[in-house]
Amino acid sequence: MEQELGSGTKKRTVRRLLSYAVQFKKQLLIALVMLAIAVTTDLAGPLIAKRIIDVHISGIEKPWYETAAAGGSTVAYGTKLYKREDRFTEGESRGAEVRILQIERNYYFIPQSIAGDGERSVAGDGKVEIARGGEKNTYPASMLTRDELYSFYRPELAGLLRLCWLYMGLLAISALFAYGQHYFLQSSANRIIRQMRNDVFAQLNRLPIRYFDNLPAGKVVSRITNDTESIRDLYVNVLSNFFTGTIHMAGIFIALFILDARLAAICLFIIPALAGWIYVYGRTAKKFNRIIRVTVSDINGMINESIQGMTIIKAFRKERRTEEEFEQYNTKLFQYQNKLLSLNSWTGHNLVGVIRNTALVALIWYFGGASLNSGAGLVSLGVLYAFVDYLNRLFQPMVNIVNQLPNMERALVSAERVFALTDQAGEDVSDHRIERYKGHVVFDNVKFSYKENEPVLKGISFEAKPGQTVALVGHTGSGKSSILNLLFRFYDPEEGRITIDGKDTMELPRQTLRQHMGIVLQDPFLFTGTIASNVSLGDASITRETIEKALADVGAAPLLRHLPLGIDEPVIEKGSTLSAGQRQLISFARALAFDPAILILDEATSNIDTETEAVIQQALDVVKKGRTTFVIAHRLSTIRNADLILVLDRGEIVERGNHDELMELEGKYRQMYRIQQGEPVASHG
């Protein structure tokens, strides 16, 4: 289980995520500018609607005055001309005041001013009654016909149409810029994640082999794929909704303050309520998300291990046991996902509902109180419409923000895991090149251990001269492979030094050191591609002729001749469609194609049948010329011609010499050789 990470780590994680975003700040700034334009044009809609309602629709109830001047804004009714009060120019004379009031679905013309507005009703006999509190006023009135009503609205049609076209234009602009900000934000997020994945994968190449000894491959894969995909959700969905929601809410509050500062101030409680919820939710959901991410990583590790070991699982009939182990992980993941789901279900939409209802209660209380008061407290229908519209718009970004909280916490946990990988100490891959080795290798009192206080090599010293073949033999765990691991600098010695042509290997970058070295392992690894691509490993300097020659030198041509496409035959993962001998021959050809000065064969012939081994032995007699070759072999018959044979026992060289010299010693080597030849060995009592 990974350690609990505190708020300080979370802050560092956020800063590092922002540092990735800064690399693509140009696109992000374009997205934010387009978002601001989209929000501004979108939020202008209710203000336009307010003006349409208050000026061009409800404005008919404003005072009208008799006028003698005819014009586009005057209305003829009866024998007189009338103009609305807000259509008079400065200094223009006004006649008697008249009013037009709506009662239910009809409109009435009142040929005088009114004392005040209130509850309206038709009293009959051509009269209208307006009641306010305990006071009632009656006014003479005549109901307007449809044509007469239209004549009073006709001067407003041009302005109303202009506002409608403006509203439609703003909607189109908003849609265009909303698309643009969405595209640029998503594009930036994809670029960020591409860069992050490249960095993580590059970090894998920088890490020492020792790191992978302690971390299953499935967990590494999980960090590169699953965890980075969760981080992508942070940039694509979380930041998008947070940015959009924040700008929307800021714009809406500005508009609310423009409409009515007192009600806008009341609605400000929404901001601390949302911020407090984000904080509380983050602390609660963090531990669930961390367990979920670790469990997903464990599942990936187990799946990878099961696939790699499927032959053993089936051979030993452990399918049920494997299913039970998987079910334990899967059940744990299910339980914690349900806990997180329950947390989201109980709090997400409920929180927004509570805030929405509270705001609506404040709206009703405020407008209801204003309606009961006389004077300027009463607001217009347009203001009421705009407030309701803005409040409804206010809660959608809140819902979007709250719904993204699970993704945000999951992404932060994933980011912590990814950065824990990238923070591991490693070495930059070097492109520095050096001249080809002569192949003079010296081990000088080298000591090494994989685990503390468990030495594997105890003062190893020997010399391999250019062009020599050095064989390492000994029981399992004697240190043979460790010597070659140190030579290749998969690991570094704790004491002593290793030199090649007199130069300490610790003074060279690992990639530079391996430039003129080749290795063939006991279990050869082939990549997905073709036989040719597995020999060249995509190196453009290795021509097709070089590939064919390398395969011919190791004797692979007869064994590969039956393949339909020859060296262009497809190779699937690990080369599972090829025989062990074919895979090993391709691995030999790979090493030879790079023309190494130092060739390492780590039990390279142990998985090959006797006939194939004979082919390889003949080829090796040719390709070893001019190269210093190190061979680990269990079959001692394959190293009889080695220039130097080192016999190891528990991390020490107990015998050294060529085959004939070691046979004369009648020590461990002679005993092992006679056993492999089937000769009787006298027991020592």
Side-chain angles (χ1 to χ4, degrees):
M1 181 63 64
E2 298 181 359
Q3 293 180 343
E4 182 74 13
L5 296 172
S7 58
T9 303
K10 185 174 182 179
K11 290 179 181 178
R12 288 194 297 272
T13 300
V14 172
R15 285 197 296 268
R16 295 181 68 171
L17 290 171
L18 290 176
S19 69
Y20 270 96
V22 168
Q23 298 179 37
F24 305 94
K25 58 184 177 183
K26 184 177 180 180
Q27 277 195 309
L28 289 173
L29 287 174
I30 292 174
L32 290 179
V33 170
M34 298 186 79
L35 174 60
I37 295 174
V39 170
T40 302
T41 52
D42 182 55
L43 294 182
L47 293 177
I48 295 175
K50 170 187 173 297
R51 182 169 179 81
I52 290 174
I53 294 172
D54 284 348
V55 176
H56 298 292
I57 297 178
S58 298
I60 195 173
E61 294 197 353
K62 292 183 177 182
W64 292 74
Y65 295 93
E66 292 182 16
T67 181
S73 58
T74 60
V75 177
Y77 180 73
T79 59
K80 299 179 180 179
L81 296 176
Y82 298 95
K83 184 185 290 188
R84 214 169 73 187
E85 68 170 354
D86 55 342
R87 304 308 183 198
F88 280 87
T89 59
E90 186 177 355
E92 187 178 357
S93 61
R94 304 183 183 188
E97 179 183 345
V98 299
R99 298 293 294 270
I100 298 174
L101 300 180
Q102 180 182 8
I103 302 176
E104 296 180 352
R105 302 185 63 181
N106 298 315
Y107 287 81
Y108 292 84
F109 180 87
I110 300 175
Q112 66 180 75
S113 63
I114 60 176
D117 205 355
E119 185 179 352
R120 306 169 183 177
S121 62
V122 178
D125 299 328
K127 293 186 182 298
V128 167
E129 184 177 86
I130 300 178
R132 184 175 183 81
E135 180 183 354
K136 292 184 180 180
N137 295 304
T138 303
Y139 305 95
S142 57
M143 187 174 72
L144 297 175
T145 64
R146 179 179 299 178
D147 291 338
E148 292 171 336
L149 178 62
Y150 174 75
S151 67
F152 280 97
Y153 270 116
R154 182 171 45 77
E156 306 302 318
L157 290 180
L160 190 147
L161 287 174
R162 282 197 299 271
L163 289 177
C164 287
W165 281 113
L166 176 61
Y167 185 71
M168 294 297 294
L170 290 176
L171 286 180
I173 294 173
S174 177
L176 178 64
F177 280 89
Y179 164 79
Q181 70 86 17
H182 182 76
Y183 173 83
F184 279 103
L185 200 59
Q186 297 265 347
S187 176
S188 300
N190 288 335
R191 291 171 185 269
I192 291 169
I193 295 304
R194 181 184 65 178
Q195 182 63 49
M196 184 175 292
R197 283 187 176 139
N198 286 340
D199 291 347
V200 175
F201 193 80
Q203 172 69 358
L204 293 183
N205 290 328
R206 297 176 65 249
L207 292 174
I209 296 294
R210 189 185 296 272
Y211 178 82
F212 300 99
D213 292 341
N214 303 316
L215 190 66
K219 291 191 175 184
V220 177
V221 172
S222 179
R223 296 193 184 189
I224 299 176
T225 55
N226 295 9
D227 286 333
T228 54
E229 189 63 25
S230 294
I231 299 173
R232 179 181 177 276
D233 288 338
L234 174 69
Y235 290 109
V236 172
N237 297 320
V238 178
L239 290 186
S240 174
N241 281 282
F242 269 67
F243 283 150
T244 305
T246 301
I247 293 177
H248 260 100
M249 292 176 68
I252 289 172
F253 271 109
I254 292 173
L256 289 177
F257 272 101
I258 293 174
L259 289 173
D260 192 294
R262 287 169 293 182
L263 182 59
I266 294 174
C267 292
L268 283 176
F269 80 92
I270 293 173
I271 297 177
L274 183 61
W277 168 237
I278 292 174
Y279 175 78
V280 173
Y281 178 89
R283 291 182 62 87
T284 306
K286 180 169 61 177
K287 67 176 183 179
F288 292 159
N289 277 299
R290 183 166 288 111
I291 294 174
I292 288 171
R293 301 314 302 171
V294 172
T295 307
V296 168
S297 181
D298 290 337
I299 288 176
N300 286 339
M302 182 181 179
I303 292 174
N304 179 73
E305 187 177 62
S306 298
I307 293 173
Q308 298 293 331
M310 189 58 68
T311 303
I312 301 300
I313 291 173
K314 291 183 176 297
F316 288 90
R317 307 184 310 280
K318 293 299 180 181
E319 294 92 343
R320 293 293 186 190
R321 175 68 180 275
T322 306
E323 290 175 11
E324 291 172 0
E325 291 179 2
F326 180 83
E327 180 62 21
Q328 291 176 1
Y329 285 120
N330 203 23
T331 300
K332 182 180 179 181
L333 178 62
F334 171 78
Q335 290 172 343
Y336 278 93
Q337 284 179 329
N338 273 357
K339 288 181 180 180
L340 186 61
L341 178 63
S342 178
L343 176 65
N344 296 336
S345 300
W346 276 102
T347 54
H349 292 286
N350 288 346
L351 169 72
V352 177
V354 169
I355 296 177
R356 177 191 288 114
N357 293 335
T358 303
L360 290 176
V361 168
L363 179 69
I364 295 170
W365 171 79
Y366 177 78
F367 281 116
S371 300
L372 294 176
N373 295 325
S374 58
L378 192 63
V379 296
S380 69
L381 182 61
V383 172
L384 178 61
Y385 169 84
F387 255 111
V388 173
D389 193 335
Y390 279 130
L391 285 177
N392 285 332
R393 290 168 182 251
L394 182 64
F395 295 116
Q396 186 56 49
M398 286 185 61
V399 170
N400 293 339
I401 289 174
V402 171
N403 286 346
Q404 290 304 320
L405 293 181
N407 291 336
M408 181 181 71
E409 288 302 321
R410 182 166 59 248
L412 290 177
V413 170
S414 295
E416 291 171 356
R417 288 161 48 80
V418 169
F419 292 142
L421 174 61
T422 58
D423 287 342
Q424 293 292 324
E427 292 184 10
D428 292 331
V429 177
S430 173
D431 294 326
H432 178 67
R433 305 183 70 83
I434 58 175
E435 293 183 1
R436 194 173 190 271
Y437 300 135
K438 295 178 181 178
H440 185 203
V441 178
V442 176
F443 273 61
D444 183 11
N445 195 32
V446 173
K447 298 180 181 179
F448 172 72
S449 60
Y450 293 102
K451 296 180 181 180
E452 191 174 355
N453 298 324
E454 295 183 17
V456 176
L457 299 179
K458 307 170 184 177
I460 298 296
S461 297
F462 67 87
E463 178 183 7
K465 296 179 181 180
Q468 281 191 334
T469 298
V470 178
L472 306 175
V473 300
H475 60 78
T476 301
S478 60
K480 304 183 300 296
S481 295
S482 297
I483 290 176
L484 301 187
N485 284 338
L486 293 179
L487 178 59
F488 238 90
R489 278 202 71 190
F490 292 143
Y491 303 89
D492 290 325
E494 296 169 357
E495 294 184 30
R497 60 197 299 264
I498 304 171
T499 62
I500 299 179
D501 296 345
K503 192 171 186 63
D504 195 327
T505 58
M506 296 287 287
E507 297 176 2
L508 293 172
R510 297 178 195 272
Q511 293 74 32
T512 303
L513 173 72
R514 299 165 187 157
Q515 178 184 343
H516 301 296
M517 301 172 70
I519 189 170
V520 180
L521 300 173
Q522 177 182 3
D523 186 15
F525 189 91
L526 299 187
F527 296 91
T528 301
T530 64
I531 292 175
S533 68
N534 268 281
V535 173
S536 68
L537 293 181
D539 192 327
S541 65
I542 298 178
T543 64
R544 190 176 181 86
E545 290 74 19
T546 302
I547 295 171
E548 292 174 345
K549 184 177 185 303
L551 289 167
D553 286 343
V554 299
L559 293 174
L560 299 174
R561 190 174 296 136
H562 73 281
L563 298 176
L565 300 178
I567 66 172
D568 294 317
E569 184 73 16
V571 175
I572 63 174
E573 184 180 4
K574 297 178 66 176
S576 57
T577 56
L578 300 172
S579 69
Q582 290 172 330
R583 292 198 300 270
Q584 195 62 280
L585 287 172
I586 294 171
S587 183
F588 266 95
R590 174 194 296 164
L592 297 180
F594 283 85
D595 190 25
I598 299 175
L599 180 62
I600 296 175
L601 308 176
D602 188 354
E603 302 187 55
T605 59
S606 61
N607 291 334
I608 297 178
D609 56 81
T610 305
E611 181 180 353
T612 305
E613 181 183 339
V615 174
I616 291 178
Q617 286 299 320
Q618 293 176 4
L620 286 180
D621 290 338
V622 177
V623 300
K624 285 190 298 185
K625 292 181 180 179
R627 295 183 175 88
T628 303
T629 306
F630 291 85
V631 181
I632 294 178
H634 283 152
R635 298 181 187 176
L636 301 185
S637 59
T638 63
I639 59 170
R640 289 189 57 175
N641 297 326
D643 299 295
L644 176 64
I645 300 174
L646 303 177
V647 182
L648 288 99
D649 183 37
R650 295 181 178 88
E652 297 178 318
I653 299 176
V654 294
E655 296 177 11
R656 68 179 71 203
N658 59 33
H659 175 76
D660 294 334
E661 292 170 347
L662 293 177
M663 291 297 288
E664 291 177 2
L665 289 177
E666 297 190 2
K668 284 184 173 294
Y669 179 82
R670 179 182 176 90
Q671 185 180 23
M672 289 187 294
Y673 187 83
R674 293 180 64 184
I675 291 174
Q676 289 192 7
Q677 295 299 314
E679 300 177 13
V681 179
S683 59
H684 300 280

